[in-house]
Amino acid sequence: MSVEAEHVELRAARRADAVAVAEIWYRGWCDGHLGNVPEALVAVRTRESFAERAPRRLADTTVAVVGGEVAGFVMVVDDEVEQVYVAERHRGGGVAVALLKEAERLVAAGGHRQAWLAVVPGNARARRFYERNGWTDQGPFEQFAPRDQGQVTVPAHRYVKRLGDEALRHSTGRSAEKGRARRPE
């Protein structure tokens, strides 16, 4: 399903959005990560794990609503765009671009001049998307994903974007979300 960006409503996530966020997160994570991350991480990233994590992360989450349903979301903490996911049927129609621009605005509103995010090397679709939207691959690094017994080392690429005056100007326009506190995962 293709949607126009002007039909996308962005808002802070609500408690009632947790189930939709968890499902979009799980399905999108599988699409981009299965076959691209260590099996130790796949073993702990079950559907249930996303259902447990999503409600704890709502304070960091902005959702995109299309036609009354949650179509995607972005999680931002400080200068990091931690998660960007769009439901499969809403991909390709502007939802991801709207979410990414909102993430950039939130990072700028937090006083940061540069944003960063991590992408696993094998997630070619995501890497192309970020590059088309002005993000630059700064090269590989090791990301550490928590699990019950320690952490899993995940090879990733660090993408960065210098936030220009446009993101900084837009950051003053929606200050209601500016000071959202992060809830620990």
Side-chain angles (χ1 to χ4, degrees), residues 6-182:
E6 60 266 19
H7 295 121
V8 177
E9 173 197 349
L10 299 174
R11 63 168 172 76
R14 302 173 185 151
R15 186 176 308 249
D17 299 325
V19 171
V21 167
E23 186 62 19
I24 292 167
W25 196 1
Y26 170 72
R27 289 176 182 253
W29 189 91
C30 289
D31 288 348
H33 291 82
L34 293 181
N36 297 319
V37 296
E39 285 301 313
L41 184 60
V42 174
V44 296
R45 291 296 189 251
T46 63
R47 177 174 265 129
E48 294 77 22
S49 75
F50 289 93
E52 291 169 5
R53 291 165 58 215
R56 294 193 308 251
R57 298 300 307 276
L58 292 177
D60 304 327
T61 305
T62 298
V63 296
V65 178
V66 175
E69 73 174 359
V70 175
F73 70 92
V74 64
M75 292 178 182
V76 174
V77 176
D78 298 323
D79 63 341
E80 182 183 4
V81 179
E82 282 193 8
Q83 313 294 335
V84 181
Y85 287 101
V86 175
E88 187 173 8
R89 69 181 182 182
H90 292 286
R91 293 178 190 162
V95 174
V97 171
L99 285 166
L100 189 58
K101 286 182 188 245
E102 177 64 0
E104 293 168 9
R105 185 196 70 76
L106 289 169
V107 170
H112 305 282
R113 304 263 324 158
Q114 179 172 283
W116 76 278
L117 54 82
V119 183
V120 295
N123 191 346
R125 185 184 78 229
R127 294 180 71 184
R128 284 190 308 269
F129 169 74
Y130 294 123
E131 290 166 5
R132 276 193 317 268
N133 284 280
W135 290 71
T136 303
D137 183 352
Q138 296 291 298
F141 79 106
E142 290 184 338
Q143 187 175 33
F144 302 99
R147 64 177 178 172
D148 288 341
Q149 290 94 11
Q151 58 191 15
V152 177
T153 301
V154 181
H157 278 249
R158 181 183 175 98
Y159 277 74
V160 299
K161 184 172 185 181
R162 183 114 178 105
L163 302 176
D165 293 335
E166 181 181 338
L168 295 171
R169 272 194 308 275
H170 292 295
S171 72
T172 60
R174 291 161 70 182
S175 59
E177 298 177 78
K178 181 177 175 180
R180 294 191 302 186
R182 178 179 186 210

